[in-house]
Amino acid sequence: MSTVVLHAVVSLDGFVAGPDDDPGPLFDWYFNGDLPLAPQDMDDPAPGGLRVSAASHAYVRDAWDGVGCMVIGRRLFDLTDGWQGRPPAGEHVVVVSHRPRPDGWHPEASYTFVDDVAEAVATARTLAGERTVSVAAGDVGGQCLALGLVDEVATDLAPVVLGDGRRFFGHDTGRHLLEDPHVVIQGDRVLHLRFRVRS
Amino acid sequence: MSTVVLHAVVSLDGFVAGPDDDPGPLFDWYFNGDLPLAPQDMDDPAPGGLRVSAASHAYVRDAWDGVGCMVIGRRLFDLTDGWQGRPPAGEHVVVVSHRPRPDGWHPEASYTFVDDVAEAVATARTLAGERTVSVAAGDVGGQCLALGLVDEVATDLAPVVLGDGRRFFGHDTGRHLLEDPHVVIQGDRVLHLRFRVRS
């Protein structure tokens, strides 16, 4: 049975991006280290690749390797162009959207478009098998939490105050208690935290 | 020269209280331990007193002992009735408010009412001497951060999602970078973090 993990890089004041969707300094830690993060960067010395500190690398690489399927909203899909059909973690992506897959968009990619959050998570669980379902923060993530579909919250806390922007869980999720973090790892410009959701 | 520390107990989604000003489960860690926190509780076995875990006690007691003066907004003053003239930390309180001290309210207490945030911090620095000025989060804290008056941010991060409520820094503060935390202490239902503000 897969675990559903809600993931976000978040500011100290609970934002995952500025009002313009730009994460700005929240993502500094993705680019300030020596170790390439994404598999496709392994043989790619291009400076544009993700390169993180040793502490972050061990944690994130392990987390990403465990992912079988991602669940994202249409906003993130559009912003990243769906990572051109190559998800940063796992082999499958479920996009929560009322609009279908764009015509002719990377027909080979295992991207499924579903217009209901609960159905999206169920589909992702099937696709992930025993591996993790990683749900992106924001509106979709917040809806998953509100519906009781999230097992863990993984927070990469950046030492940044954004002041305003896109909220961690989108709109009001109601109140939820988590366990104390079972992961507390200090990286360079990030503190990796992981909390189980209390059932 | 005193250090100005902005302090808050905050949820994972960046709220310091619910919409009704109730911190709810954010304050669980203040009451779930064996060690009395406030000096006035030392000889007071009443269950209403603050009693925290050993990890939290060592950190918080030390932090509170270092405080010379608190800066708070009128909302917190009214909510707590100014702690009946006995601040939880330090001997002096500066209240940022357009309204004066209530008539006849604890005339013996060293509470100063000032209607300007910058002047409030300057007054608090004088009162604190070499000791710490502790600024409460929320609107006043956010204004202090925006004005560049804050040296450190002390966050007691509770494993709680509130969904909505009073924001950590009140309204938009603009963007601010902090250093990586120099304090990371795991308590029981709280993670104590402390960040220096980048100048």
Side-chain angles (χ1 to χ4, degrees):
Chain A
M1 187 72 170
S2 63
T3 300
V4 177
V5 179
L6 173 58
H7 173 256
V9 183
V10 65
S11 71
L12 204 57
D13 47 347
F15 297 107
V16 296
D20 55 358
D21 285 322
D22 183 358
L26 296 183
F27 280 9
D28 283 356
W29 67 276
Y30 274 132
F31 301 98
N32 67 1
D34 296 324
L35 299 179
L37 193 53
Q40 60 263 36
D41 289 334
M42 283 298 184
D43 303 313
D44 174 13
L50 303 181
R51 292 178 177 272
V52 301
S53 69
S56 289
H57 189 267
Y59 169 69
V60 178
R61 192 61 269 165
D62 192 53
W64 285 16
D65 285 344
V67 172
C69 184
M70 297 179 69
V71 176
I72 66 175
R74 186 70 188 219
R75 180 193 304 277
L76 186 55
F77 177 82
D78 287 340
L79 280 170
T80 62
D81 186 31
W83 303 287
Q84 294 79 46
R86 297 165 72 196
E91 295 81 44
H92 311 282
V93 175
V94 177
V95 184
V96 181
S97 175
H98 298 296
R99 287 176 289 134
R101 184 186 188 108
D103 275 347
W105 185 85
H106 296 279
E108 78 293 353
S110 174
Y111 281 53
T112 307
F113 291 68
V114 170
D115 71 355
D116 176 84
V117 165
E119 187 190 337
V121 171
T123 302
R125 278 184 177 280
T126 302
L127 288 166
E130 296 298 310
R131 298 167 76 197
T132 302
V133 171
S134 176
V135 179
D139 285 322
V140 165
Q143 288 175 53
C144 289
L145 185 69
L147 290 169
L149 300 174
V150 175
D151 300 307
E152 292 186 17
V153 176
T155 299
D156 299 323
L157 182 67
V160 171
V161 175
L162 282 188
D164 195 12
R166 302 278 172 200
R167 284 169 52 172
F168 193 165
F169 300 102
H171 300 295
D172 189 359
T173 58
R175 190 169 286 191
H176 300 271
L177 297 183
L178 314 179
E179 300 297 338
D180 281 322
H182 57 285
V183 170
V184 179
I185 297 171
Q186 176 72 66
D188 181 6
R189 308 300 298 157
V190 66
L191 184 69
H192 302 290
L193 303 173
R194 213 163 164 118
F195 309 79
R196 292 188 187 91
V197 177
R198 276 200 178 171
S199 50
Chain B
M1 186 73 172
S2 63
T3 300
V4 177
V5 179
L6 172 58
H7 172 255
V9 183
V10 66
S11 71
L12 204 56
D13 46 346
F15 297 108
V16 296
D20 56 357
D21 285 320
D22 183 359
L26 295 183
F27 280 7
D28 283 357
W29 68 275
Y30 275 130
F31 301 98
N32 67 2
D34 296 323
L35 299 179
L37 193 53
Q40 60 263 38
D41 290 334
M42 283 299 185
D43 302 313
D44 174 13
L50 303 182
R51 291 179 178 271
V52 301
S53 68
S56 288
H57 189 267
Y59 169 69
V60 178
R61 192 61 270 164
D62 191 54
W64 286 14
D65 285 344
V67 172
C69 184
M70 297 179 68
V71 176
I72 66 175
R74 186 71 187 221
R75 179 193 303 277
L76 186 55
F77 177 83
D78 287 341
L79 280 170
T80 62
D81 186 31
W83 303 287
Q84 293 80 46
R86 298 166 71 198
E91 295 82 43
H92 310 281
V93 175
V94 177
V95 184
V96 181
S97 176
H98 298 297
R99 288 176 288 135
R101 185 186 187 109
D103 275 347
W105 185 85
H106 296 280
E108 79 293 353
S110 174
Y111 282 52
T112 309
F113 290 69
V114 171
D115 70 356
D116 175 84
V117 165
E119 187 190 336
V121 172
T123 303
R125 279 184 177 279
T126 302
L127 288 165
E130 295 297 310
R131 298 166 76 196
T132 302
V133 171
S134 177
V135 179
D139 284 322
V140 164
Q143 288 174 55
C144 289
L145 185 69
L147 290 169
L149 301 173
V150 175
D151 300 307
E152 293 187 15
V153 176
T155 299
D156 299 322
L157 182 67
V160 171
V161 175
L162 282 188
D164 196 12
R166 302 280 172 200
R167 285 169 54 174
F168 194 164
F169 300 101
H171 301 294
D172 189 358
T173 58
R175 191 169 285 191
H176 299 271
L177 298 184
L178 314 178
E179 301 297 339
D180 280 322
H182 58 284
V183 170
V184 179
I185 296 171
Q186 176 72 67
D188 181 6
R189 309 298 300 156
V190 67
L191 184 69
H192 302 290
L193 303 172
R194 212 163 164 119
F195 310 79
R196 292 187 187 93
V197 177
R198 277 199 179 173
S199 50

